[in-house]
Amino acid sequence: MKILSNLIAKATPPQPPRIKKKRRGIHIKSPEEIEIMRQASKIVATTLKEIAARVQPGMTTADLDAIAEKRIREMGATPSFKGYYGFPGSICSSINNEVVHGIPSRRKVIRAGDVLKVDTGAYYQGFHGDSCITIPVVEVTPEAAKLIRVAEETLYKGIEQVKAGAYLLDIAGAIQDYAEANGFRVVQEFTGHGVGQNLHEEPSVFNTRTYDLPNVKLKAGMTLAIEPILNAGSRFTRILSDKWTAVTVDNALSAQFEHTVLVTETGYEILTDRSKV
């Protein structure tokens, strides 16, 4: 998840040693690199699928973090998020009005009716996979259920635009139009991103129509983390005192879905597809 402030606000602390120095431009992956990314993304998809099946009221977000780290390491990878610019967890766990970057905590208890976002990444043989899901904990309100459903549908509306020769604005327009047609607002402070040898690479994958960022033409071999965030109320967010957790300014609910997607000549391949694990 990239943070948008005018253009992109770059964090200043150094990355952990395992993350290679960011290269300029967009990295077109080779067939060998794509195969490694398939494996990294499969680890992420497996982890998220297992977390979704195990979430219960009374658990803490620290419990989920421990499950994710254990499974990622068991599958031969390391958690992409842990230590990234100092982030303490292997997952971002954001509940209800928390938009993104929630820090796992033993004090944060999951309750029935919660709208729980779980975002995680895996670093495998030099490449990252990255994905996020929103989980309705037991039975949520009809309004929350609609938000979650539309957020996931919005992600796929964006993905459907992906193919060599298309543009980032094609993705952004499809996302914005579908979200707003269903009565929700798209968060603009955070964007998707390229993903590969670095967790965050170029280009920034925006979720609304904008001319503040380059409207990149897609090429086969690009790998993108597409991740729209929808709010039930205002689109605006604020950052809590922990310097990580973003929340809605009006305490309205928020939902997010994300996939790592490969651009192909004729379309796309969803590398973090949970239905295939």
Side-chain angles (χ1 to χ4, degrees):
M1 174 67 64
K2 282 189 174 181
I3 302 174
L4 190 63
S5 178
N6 293 326
L7 296 180
I8 293 296
K10 302 293 186 181
T12 54
Q15 297 182 7
R18 70 173 182 271
I19 300 175
K20 296 183 180 180
K21 185 177 179 181
K22 188 173 180 178
R23 293 191 282 182
R24 290 182 174 275
I26 297 170
H27 180 196
I28 303 298
K29 279 69 175 181
S30 68
E32 294 77 16
E33 291 172 331
I34 290 168
E35 185 53 40
I36 295 172
M37 286 201 64
R38 287 192 180 101
Q39 296 306 311
S41 298
K42 183 178 179 180
I43 291 168
V44 172
T46 300
T47 301
L48 288 176
K49 188 172 184 176
E50 292 180 7
I51 285 177
R54 295 179 66 174
V55 168
Q56 296 181 37
M59 298 178 75
T60 69
T61 55
D63 294 330
L64 300 184
D65 188 68
I67 291 169
E69 180 169 1
K70 182 174 184 289
R71 289 298 289 128
I72 289 169
R73 294 189 186 278
E74 285 176 346
M75 289 183 278
T78 55
S80 298
F81 294 3
K82 194 163 190 177
Y84 189 71
Y85 294 128
F87 189 78
S90 296
I91 64 170
C92 295
S93 50
S94 309
I95 298 177
N96 296 332
N97 69 316
E98 296 174 342
V99 177
V100 291
H101 302 159
I103 298 174
S105 171
R106 291 185 179 88
R107 294 178 294 179
K108 192 178 291 184
V109 179
I110 299 164
R111 306 185 188 282
D114 279 346
V115 175
L116 170 66
K117 283 79 70 180
V118 179
D119 189 355
T120 196
Y123 183 70
Y124 177 77
Q125 294 186 10
F127 289 84
H128 296 269
D130 187 9
S131 186
C132 178
I133 58 175
T134 297
I135 303 166
V137 181
V138 190
E139 186 173 352
V140 299
T141 66
E143 294 78 12
K146 180 183 177 183
L147 172 65
I148 294 169
R149 173 180 59 80
V150 172
E152 186 168 24
E153 291 170 352
T154 298
L155 169 63
Y156 287 103
K157 292 294 182 181
I159 292 174
E160 287 168 3
Q161 307 305 310
V162 174
K163 65 178 180 179
Y167 287 85
L168 290 178
L169 271 175
D170 298 329
I171 300 172
I175 287 171
Q176 182 176 6
D177 289 348
Y178 192 78
E180 292 180 351
N182 282 276
F184 299 111
R185 267 63 60 189
V186 181
V187 172
Q188 297 181 25
E189 291 94 332
F190 303 94
T191 73
H193 50 91
V195 60
Q197 288 178 303
N198 294 282
L199 182 58
H200 295 104
E201 298 183 346
E202 296 302 329
S204 297
V205 183
F206 37 94
N207 298 308
T208 58
R209 293 179 178 88
T210 179
Y211 297 98
D212 289 334
L213 293 166
N215 184 24
V216 173
K217 185 177 182 179
L218 305 185
K219 296 181 180 180
M222 292 172 62
T223 44
L224 308 174
I226 302 174
E227 47 180 324
I229 307 170
L230 272 58
N231 288 351
S234 169
R235 72 169 179 84
F236 293 102
T237 67
R238 63 183 179 89
I239 307 297
L240 298 184
S241 59
D242 63 17
K243 307 300 183 184
W244 282 102
T245 308
V247 299
T248 56
V249 295
D250 55 1
N251 293 319
L253 294 176
S254 185
Q256 177 193 10
F257 284 88
E258 173 188 17
H259 272 310
T260 295
V261 179
L262 170 68
V263 181
T264 69
E265 290 291 352
T266 57
Y268 58 87
E269 178 183 346
I270 300 175
L271 301 183
T272 47
D273 187 347
R274 295 181 301 283
S275 70
K276 296 182 178 179
V277 298

